[in-house]
Amino acid sequence: MIDWEPIILTAKLALVTTTILLILSIPLAYWLATSTSKMKPIIETLVSMPLVLPPTVLGFYLLMVFSPGNTIGGWLLEYLGVQLIFSFSGLVIGSVIYSLPFMVNPIQSGLSSLPASLSEASYVLGKSRIKTLCRVLLPNIKPSLLTGIVLAFAHTIGEFGVVLMIGGNIPEKTKVVSIAIYDEVEALNYSNANTYSLLLFIITFVVLLTVYAINGGYLKRFWK
């Protein structure tokens, strides 16, 4: 008999993280796609570092920064009453940072592929940069937006190193499915571990299959 709480917590974490990432990534990706600033390569490098950086490294530094024994963590706890380590809020922050490139990079690529004349025509018609982004550019990169959303969601579901370092293993609070699988294997409960793993496999497969089907136009052909 498996415990469904880790599955519910994982879904909640993925939904919250993906929503926050979408809000943060659109303006960041737009700036990266249009900026000529000398800081651009540095920002792009920082955004993409989670792609190659071991998750335990990121988790370790977040653990140190948010620890009540350090300046930032101590200030948050003393003045705001917020403790980010071993909490769901800490998991969200860690997941947002770790999954950031999976949302930013597809959106940036989509915006970079649009012709400059599209924005210029909007400006000529008197539209502001914000209106141009929201009403002209984003509707033209729906596949990129969908790809970013799906990749960020799927990546958050499968996180292990970061969530373990910053969240630990607290039932009904920070114990997500990846941690539950690890626990079951450690306890030699291979049946439960297999059930959790199979659920993650199916969810990830269905999510990725959906985005590829939509972007490839297969769903439209099927319904025709």
Side-chain angles (χ1 to χ4, degrees):
M1 188 74 177
I2 68 169
D3 180 11
W4 287 92
E5 189 61 36
I7 298 173
I8 296 173
L9 187 64
T10 301
K12 180 182 176 183
L13 177 63
L15 287 171
V16 172
T17 298
T18 303
T19 301
I20 294 174
L21 278 173
L22 184 61
I23 295 171
L24 295 177
S25 297
I26 289 176
L28 178 56
Y30 177 69
W31 183 83
L32 290 174
T34 59
S35 176
T36 56
S37 170
K38 294 180 179 179
M39 291 294 294
K40 180 180 175 179
I42 297 176
I43 302 301
E44 284 183 316
T45 300
L46 290 174
V47 168
S48 298
M49 278 190 69
L51 293 172
V52 295
L53 192 68
T56 48
V57 173
L58 178 60
F60 170 74
Y61 282 116
L62 289 175
L63 181 64
M64 291 296 99
V65 170
F66 295 141
S67 173
N70 286 325
T71 303
I72 296 178
W75 185 88
L76 289 172
L77 183 60
E78 181 177 355
Y79 293 100
L80 300 180
V82 175
Q83 179 173 315
L84 293 178
I85 61 171
F86 309 125
S87 70
F88 182 77
S89 298
L91 290 186
V92 171
I93 293 176
S95 297
V96 166
I97 296 174
Y98 192 52
S99 295
L100 185 63
F102 293 89
M103 180 73 80
V104 172
N105 290 350
I107 298 176
Q108 181 186 351
S109 297
L111 290 171
S112 299
S113 67
L114 296 177
S117 58
L118 204 60
S119 298
E120 293 169 358
S122 180
Y123 298 149
V124 169
L125 293 174
K127 302 296 183 181
S128 66
R129 292 175 69 90
I130 295 179
K131 287 185 177 179
T132 298
L133 174 63
C134 296
R135 299 182 181 180
V136 179
L137 302 183
L138 292 182
N140 281 281
I141 61 162
K142 289 180 181 178
S144 298
L145 286 171
L146 179 61
T147 299
I149 291 171
V150 169
L151 289 180
F153 184 88
H155 187 254
T156 302
I157 287 178
E159 286 179 10
F160 177 76
V162 172
V163 296
L164 179 62
M165 293 291 287
I166 196 172
N169 185 3
I170 306 175
E172 300 183 6
K173 192 173 182 181
T174 63
K175 185 178 180 180
V176 294
V177 176
S178 57
I179 305 298
I181 294 173
Y182 178 80
D183 280 351
E184 297 295 349
V185 172
E186 285 286 290
L188 303 181
N189 294 327
Y190 295 126
S191 177
N192 285 351
N194 177 63
T195 301
Y196 282 128
S197 300
L198 186 60
L199 279 172
L200 282 188
F201 179 88
I202 293 173
I203 292 172
T204 305
F205 179 83
V206 171
V207 167
L208 291 176
L209 178 62
T210 300
V211 71
Y212 283 127
I214 292 176
N215 286 346
Y218 297 111
L219 292 183
K220 290 182 179 179
R221 297 175 202 172
F222 175 80
W223 288 112
K224 285 181 180 180

